[in-house]
Amino acid sequence: MAKIIVVTSGKGGVGKTTSSAAISSGLALRGHKTAVIDFDIGLRNLDIVMNCERRVVYDFVNVINGDATLRQALIKDKRVDNLYILPASQTRDKDALSMDGVERVLKELADDGFEYIICDSPAGIEHGAFMALYFADTAIVVANPEVSSVRDSDRILGILQSKSRRAENGERVEEYLLLTRYNPERAAKGEMLAVEDVEEILATKLLGVIPESETVLKASNQGIPVIHDDQSTAGQAYSDAVARLLGEEVEQRFIHAEQKGLFKRLFGRTA
Ligand SMILES: Nc1ncnc2c1ncn2[C@@H]1O[C@H](COP(=O)(O)OP(=O)(O)O)[C@@H](O)[C@H]1O
Ligand SMILES: [Mg+2]
């Protein structure tokens, strides 16, 4: 049985695509056959972050419209076995994703033996975001440690538990919070919300805390999901998050400001 996981948020630009790329890569690295679908119609960021934009021939909407088969549109990742990307369409028609069409593609992926289907959602609560979350079994709500981002996450959690298919069937969508772009030093100074504040406001299981790190931007410019960089704190934090998603108990790291001793200052990596 395939597990459908939506990576969503209220606000845009919080790290959904970065997280979708990292988590889908991480699941595939752990041996699970995984597909990641870009629901951000018109934007197409995921294929760039995953360095396959030059290999896009057909896209999600082509498959929905029957202009291409799923097999023709899926792009096999060059770095990890078991990982396939279904790119977003460049169409301006935001309503191109029909409910029937999305359901058909998800079902075909499940029938093809995919274990995890990661849906990279556009921001907000418009049509594309709704399509991305409607069929989800699990939601990863991405938030930054800012009041506006946390407030919008609360709204998306409400929608998940009322408007999704599971909600319509009287079931719950399993929900996780992924806090990204976290800077423990700034949180300690009160310049951004601390992990505990966010957990208290949202009362949602914490999948992980991804530190703010310049290796993320570098990785996405190179088209290498940051989880492949096991020297970077962000890469390590994503690996931990994937382990938790797989049900492992992994202690949270990167949530407290480090006291930097002389040794660390001389030899430690900062990001
Ligand atoms: N942990 C992080 N540290 C630093 N920059 C990050 C981090 N996560 C995401 N970013 C940057 O934030 C921007 C938005 O990320 P993206 O994943 O595209 O967000 P979304 O898909 O939610 O719009 C990108 O420039 C990305 O490189
Ligand atoms: Mg995005």
Side-chain angles (χ1 to χ4, degrees), residues 9 11-19 40 45 49 120-121 123 142 180-182 210-214 216-217 220 234 238:
S9 74
K11 249 182 87 176
V14 291
K16 291 180 297 296
T17 297
T18 304
S19 299
D40 209 343
N45 277 329
V49 171
D120 179 18
S121 175
V142 181
T180 61
R181 313 200 68 164
Y182 191 68
I210 314 297
E212 170 82 25
S213 164
E214 60 188 39
V216 173
L217 191 60
S220 61
Y238 275 119

Side-chain angles (χ1 to χ4, degrees), residues 150 179 182 187 190 192-203:
V150 173
L179 196 58
Y182 191 68
M192 47 168 71
L193 294 176
V195 174
E196 300 78 37
D197 302 330
V198 179
E199 275 188 295
E200 198 179 306
I201 302 169
L202 291 176

Side-chain angles (χ1 to χ4, degrees), residues 18 48-51 215-226:
T18 304
I48 295 172
V49 171
M50 301 192 69
N51 198 18
T215 59
V216 173
L217 191 60
K218 225 181 289 166
S220 61
N221 284 337
Q222 294 174 333
I224 307 171
V226 72

Side-chain angles (χ1 to χ4, degrees), residues 132-153:
L133 70 78
Y134 182 74
F135 296 100
D137 301 305
T138 299
I140 298 175
V141 177
V142 181
N144 292 159
E146 300 157 7
V147 174
S148 62
S149 172
V150 173
R151 196 184 306 127
D152 289 347
S153 304

